[in-house]
Amino acid sequence: MSINTDVRRELAAAGCRVTEQRLAVLEALWRAGDHPSAERVYHVVRRSHPTMSRATVYRALELFASLDVAGTFRAADGVARYDPDRTPHVNFECAVCGRVADVMDSRLQALTRRTADRAGFVLGRQIALRGTCRRCAVARQNYGRRKHDG
Amino acid sequence: MSINTDVRRELAAAGCRVTEQRLAVLEALWRAGDHPSAERVYHVVRRSHPTMSRATVYRALELFASLDVAGTFRAADGVARYDPDRTPHVNFECAVCGRVADVMDSRLQALTRRTADRAGFVLGRQIALRGTCRRCAVARQNYGRRKHDG
DNA sequence: TTATATGCAAATCTTTTGCAAGGAT
DNA sequence: ATCCTTGCAAAAGATTTGCATATAA
């Protein structure tokens, strides 16, 4: 049971058609590596499907996200990012540079889910935490408090 | 020492000028209530300053965020939100409707910060967790798995 | 006085949408 | 045969930017 097979099943269950384009977007999402934007997926998919349009890529990614075949979140710059990895894990997102670190920590996951539950929230498979990566934190320490650069 | 005074100091320390507009945006940010967008702050500030431009509001909010006078994050819809509350707390953000629940949980905060530290991340005063609020989770259960609505 | 901030309008950038043609079931 | 998808181009919506003018320090 490949991912491909799983997705075919998901699509069928949702009454959606299995098209060449959707499968290509899915593959590109995996190939694209680390939490790619729609634009990045578009460029990767273009290598094998030079005529595919942006609209199709955007629509496929949105469909995958709605079916929970892919995860999605907005980076600090407002651009949507997609994540094909549906294993439960914690994402630390850097609010400055956008870098994302995947962390498996079952204790954090358990406590987080319990607290969310008390607050009336349900967390998805991916738990997202926004912060600043050490590199950006250091850079900010050195230059940040001096002067706002207009 | 009012917030106003604090911000005057912050601005001065950064070499930025204290203007009528910036103070008005700050006040509107507090008045606007729950995690407003720039557009919302603009409308609130307009009530007292009918000639102020959107650009000024956007610039002021960005400045406040960069000085850590306000918190900022992107809602699921890609729109920037601002938060004047700089007390350490956890924000649960609903990825579907955008609702945000503020939670004070020192144990979660402590564990989260410790884990972040191990992953090479520094968390800000606000820790953001993305999930689905119960209302949206229930709605999804009822309608979600049926058919993707084009 | 002098660098910084504002207002306006235009530009930019991501994402969405209407519609006719193509394709899956 | 039917209804979903695609591609294209235009639209939409948020945010940013260039520039002349106004203003805080």
Side-chain angles (χ1 to χ4, degrees):
Chain A
M1 48 173 168
S2 68
I3 283 151
N4 202 295
T5 307
D6 285 350
V7 172
R8 280 171 181 277
R9 194 169 18 237
E10 290 278 354
L11 287 173
C16 297
R17 290 176 181 172
V18 176
T19 63
E20 174 72 14
Q21 286 93 334
R22 285 176 178 163
L23 295 177
V25 168
L26 186 72
E27 194 191 324
L29 176 56
W30 280 97
R31 279 188 193 284
D34 195 48
H35 312 288
S37 64
E39 189 67 16
R40 178 137 178 57
V41 172
Y42 171 70
H43 284 300
V44 172
V45 86
R46 271 268 171 162
R47 300 208 275 259
S48 54
H49 296 70
T51 64
M52 201 181 304
S53 76
R54 266 192 187 74
T56 300
V57 174
Y58 274 91
R59 284 190 278 231
L61 289 171
E62 190 206 329
L63 176 62
F64 292 155
S66 79
L67 297 177
D68 205 30
V69 164
T72 184
F73 62 94
R74 293 273 174 170
D77 62 2
V79 178
R81 302 306 183 87
Y82 297 89
D83 185 353
D85 181 2
R86 305 276 61 210
T87 306
H89 65 275
V90 178
N91 277 170
F92 280 104
E93 307 170 8
C94 178
V96 179
C97 71
R99 186 196 322 272
V100 177
D102 294 338
V103 176
M104 270 297 309
D105 184 314
S106 54
R107 203 151 69 95
L108 177 57
Q109 284 196 49
L111 180 58
T112 302
R113 286 181 199 285
R114 211 177 317 134
T115 309
D117 188 60
R118 256 187 263 116
F121 265 70
V122 179
L123 301 182
R125 290 191 254 200
Q126 278 157 94
I127 295 173
L129 282 162
R130 202 176 321 103
T132 312
C133 73
R134 194 160 289 150
R135 184 186 304 186
C136 290
V138 170
R140 178 171 199 157
Q141 234 172 27
N142 293 337
Y143 302 106
R145 284 279 160 177
R146 204 168 296 164
K147 174 84 185 200
H148 185 250
D149 44 355
Chain B
M1 47 173 171
S2 69
I3 283 150
N4 202 293
T5 308
D6 285 350
V7 171
R8 279 172 180 276
R9 198 172 11 242
E10 290 278 353
L11 287 172
C16 297
R17 291 177 181 172
V18 177
T19 63
E20 175 71 16
Q21 287 93 334
R22 285 177 178 162
L23 295 177
V25 168
L26 186 71
E27 194 192 323
L29 176 56
W30 279 98
R31 278 188 195 284
D34 196 48
H35 313 288
S37 64
E39 188 66 17
R40 179 137 177 55
V41 172
Y42 170 71
H43 285 300
V44 172
V45 87
R46 271 270 173 161
R47 301 208 274 258
S48 53
H49 296 69
T51 63
M52 202 182 303
S53 76
R54 266 191 186 74
T56 300
V57 174
Y58 274 90
R59 283 189 279 231
L61 289 171
E62 189 206 330
L63 176 61
F64 292 155
S66 80
L67 297 177
D68 205 29
V69 164
T72 184
F73 63 93
R74 294 274 174 169
D77 61 3
V79 177
R81 302 305 183 87
Y82 297 89
D83 184 354
D85 182 3
R86 306 276 58 212
T87 307
H89 64 274
V90 177
N91 277 170
F92 281 104
E93 307 169 8
C94 178
V96 178
C97 70
R99 187 195 322 271
V100 177
D102 294 338
V103 177
M104 270 297 309
D105 184 314
S106 53
R107 204 153 66 96
L108 177 57
Q109 284 197 48
L111 180 57
T112 302
R113 286 180 198 285
R114 212 178 315 134
T115 310
D117 187 62
R118 256 188 263 115
F121 265 70
V122 180
L123 300 182
R125 290 191 255 200
Q126 278 158 95
I127 295 172
L129 283 162
R130 203 176 319 105
T132 311
C133 74
R134 195 160 287 147
R135 184 185 304 186
C136 290
V138 170
R140 179 171 198 158
Q141 232 172 28
N142 294 338
Y143 304 106
R145 284 279 161 179
R146 203 168 297 163
K147 173 84 186 199
H148 185 250
D149 44 357

